[in-house]
Every structure is written in C-alpha cells, then in structure tokens.
Amino acid sequence: MARDTATPRGREAGPGWFERLRTAPQYLYPQRRLSGLVYRLTRIRAPWFKNASIRVFVRLFRVDLSEAAEPDPRAYPHFNAFFTRALRPGVRPIAAGSDELCCPVDGTVSQAGAIDGDRLYQAKGQWYTVAGLLGDDASLGLRFQGGRFATLYLSPRDYHRIHMPYAGCLTQMIHVPGKLFSVSPLSTRVVPRLFARNERVVTLFETEFGPMAVILVGAINVSSMETVWAGTLTPPYAKTIRRWYYPAAGAGRVFLDKGAELGRFNMGSTVILLFPPGAVELDPALRPDAPVRLGQVLARRM
C-alpha cells in the first residue's frame, strides 16, 4: 500500500507583509452582520433578483450545470437552493471497496497527512491543535493524536453538500461558536489557528476502524450550516458551545452509509476529517492544491 502523505514540519517561511496587509481588513469586518445579510439575500424569492443573481454567479465562477439534478437555473426558488443543488445520480460514483474511504466533497486539498502529536498543519508555518479544533476538548482530542487528517476547501463553484467518507454511527455533535474569517487559501496562510477560531460543527462517528470526525468549518458569508439529522444549526448564533449525544441503538440512533449525505454549507467553506492512529492510510494523491471529487478514494483502512 502506498505511503501516507507527509506533513510539513513547520520550516516553511511565514506569511509576508503584503499577505498580512491583504487579510487585515477581515479583523475589522462585522463578520456576523455581513453573514446575516448574505443569509437573507440568498433566500429572496423575487424571480428578477434570484434569476439575475444565479446567472451572474454561473458566469463568474463557470459553474457546470450539466451535472446538476436540475440544470435549469430558473427552476430554483432562491439563490441558496441553487447553491446547495443536488447532483444528477451517477455523476459522482462512490469508491466501492470495503476498505476504501471516499472523499466527502468536491473541492481542493488544503493539507493532508499525519497529525503531529496534537498538532495539525494549517499552511505557511501555521499550526493549530486537535483539542482546539474540537472545542478545547482535550480528552476527545486524545483519540486522534498521532492519527491522520485531511483539510478540504470548497470554492464557490463547487458542489456544497457533504457526504460520509465511510459508514458510521453518529455519537456526538458539537457546535462551537467562533469567528467568521474567510477560509480562502490566502487567509489559511495568514490567519493564525484559523480553523480552531472559526465557527464550526463537529460531528463524531464510530466506524469499523474506530472514531472518525467530520468537521464543517464556517466562514464569512458561510455561517449557515446544517446536517441531515438536526437541520439548520446556524443562524441563530449561539454564544457558548453546544453538545448533542446520540445513542448507539434504539430511538434517536443516526447511522449513515458511505456516500450518504451528511449535511451542507449554505455558501462554501472547508471540511476537516480526523482519523485515529493506525486506522487509515491517506491516498498519495492528496497533495496540497490537488482537486478532489466526491466519491473518489480518499484513504484505505490499514
């Protein structure tokens, strides 16, 4: 089996002054007010407004509507319905091997590789901790120390539903309030501990190879996230961490097969996957900036 993707050891030079200057205005933005405004605008149903918005977006980001279950942009009731559109059956075949984990999204690899103790590599010499990502839960973070991770960035043109990499039973969901910095490649290089600072929804599953975390990270204009079992989690915005626990059997049990829809971003963002030590080997194609598609092989069980 191919060797796992290597993670840099922090020897990269940090961001330069010009990169810092370009991201500095984000610290001044009224992040939640802007995101709340975008939330409302993307749900306007007036045909003249939503049709014009969708038409401009398709041209600007070169969206391929031939893959959509509904290829007519005028058929969507509002912009957000278009943005979270379903795909035609069969356009994203799911990796079929019993030992294969599939990519949960369309997007681009930001980083992927080994978790260095409790540290995850962000970019350009930037690191953050597993515990911090999981809502400052040190005991939960211990389950993934020394394991593997993959950070996948969804650009505006991408498909914005998130699917299961492998079959599993939901054990816990954590909503962590936070900032709403952009998660663009530039911001990832510059903003320290970006993914452990932004608002996020942590979903934890028990699988045949052990625990698996699928983390939805919010961003500016992208603060609305939802799951198939709980619906929309934001807005409204919470001020404290919220936790939900789910049973392994009986009423309330949530089990999702590989490739099943898990949730979606109402506007685009980033998904982070965590795996425990000795459980999986990441596919060697998962290199920074490599494009990925829902269903392709992401990793293999060891």
Side-chain angles (χ1 to χ4, degrees):
M1 200 172 282
R3 293 187 64 185
D4 210 359
T5 309
T7 300
R9 294 294 172 179
R11 295 179 180 176
E12 270 189 287
W17 68 268
F18 185 63
E19 289 181 314
R20 294 182 186 278
L21 182 64
R22 288 175 62 191
T23 58
Q26 292 190 48
Y27 291 87
L28 304 177
Y29 291 159
Q31 295 175 341
R32 290 193 172 183
R33 288 185 181 178
L34 283 175
S35 297
L37 176 62
V38 171
Y39 182 92
R40 293 189 293 274
L41 290 174
T42 56
R43 285 158 178 78
I44 292 176
R45 292 176 177 265
W48 69 269
F49 181 86
K50 62 95 174 177
N51 288 340
S53 300
I54 294 172
R55 185 168 58 250
V56 169
F57 188 88
V58 169
R59 290 177 180 174
L60 182 63
F61 292 103
R62 297 175 304 205
V63 176
D64 182 3
L65 281 173
S66 68
E67 296 183 332
E70 176 49 79
D72 182 0
R74 296 168 298 180
Y76 295 95
H78 48 66
F79 182 87
N80 190 67
F82 155 76
F83 194 84
T84 58
R85 63 196 175 276
L87 294 175
R88 285 191 295 109
V91 298
R92 295 288 187 276
I94 303 300
S98 60
D99 289 336
E100 294 176 335
L101 284 71
C102 73
C103 183
V105 294
D106 284 2
T108 305
V109 177
S110 177
Q111 297 292 334
I115 299 172
D116 185 4
D118 184 44
R119 300 197 308 161
L120 294 162
Y121 188 70
Q122 183 171 294
K124 202 92 173 181
Q126 307 273 13
W127 297 78
Y128 60 104
T129 67
V130 176
L133 180 66
L134 299 177
D136 292 323
D137 191 324
S139 61
L140 192 57
L142 285 172
R143 305 183 73 186
F144 299 101
Q145 284 191 16
R148 298 291 182 267
F149 81 101
T151 304
L152 308 174
Y153 168 67
L154 287 70
S155 73
R157 67 173 297 183
D158 288 320
Y159 170 67
H160 280 89
R161 300 189 184 190
I162 303 108
H163 295 250
M164 282 289 284
Y166 201 80
C169 185
L170 181 68
T171 60
Q172 187 178 169
M173 179 172 68
I174 309 169
H175 172 235
V176 186
K179 298 293 186 180
L180 292 171
F181 290 107
S182 165
V183 291
S184 69
L186 173 63
S187 296
T188 302
R189 294 193 300 270
V190 176
V191 179
R193 299 172 37 254
L194 173 62
F195 300 125
R197 296 171 71 178
N198 269 18
E199 188 141 9
R200 53 205 180 275
V201 174
V202 178
T203 64
L204 295 158
F205 294 87
E206 194 62 35
T207 74
E208 290 181 355
F209 57 78
M212 175 180 72
V214 182
I215 300 149
L216 287 61
V217 182
I220 189 72
N221 302 332
V222 197
S223 57
S224 180
M225 296 171 280
E226 61 184 83
T227 65
V228 297
W229 59 85
T232 301
L233 292 163
T234 58
Y237 301 114
K239 295 183 178 180
T240 59
I241 293 176
R242 297 182 290 170
R243 299 176 186 269
W244 295 261
Y245 297 91
Y246 298 87
R253 179 176 185 259
V254 177
F255 183 89
L256 297 178
D257 289 322
K258 180 169 68 172
E261 185 179 341
L262 180 155
R264 62 186 69 174
F265 288 116
N266 299 310
M267 303 299 284
S269 195
T270 290
V271 170
I272 301 174
L273 305 171
L274 303 180
F275 305 105
V280 305
E281 282 187 335
L282 298 177
D283 190 271
L286 294 183
R287 300 287 177 180
D289 300 322
V292 291
R293 290 291 177 265
L294 166 65
Q296 75 178 65
V297 175
L298 179 95
R300 293 173 176 83
R301 292 175 54 186
M302 297 176 65

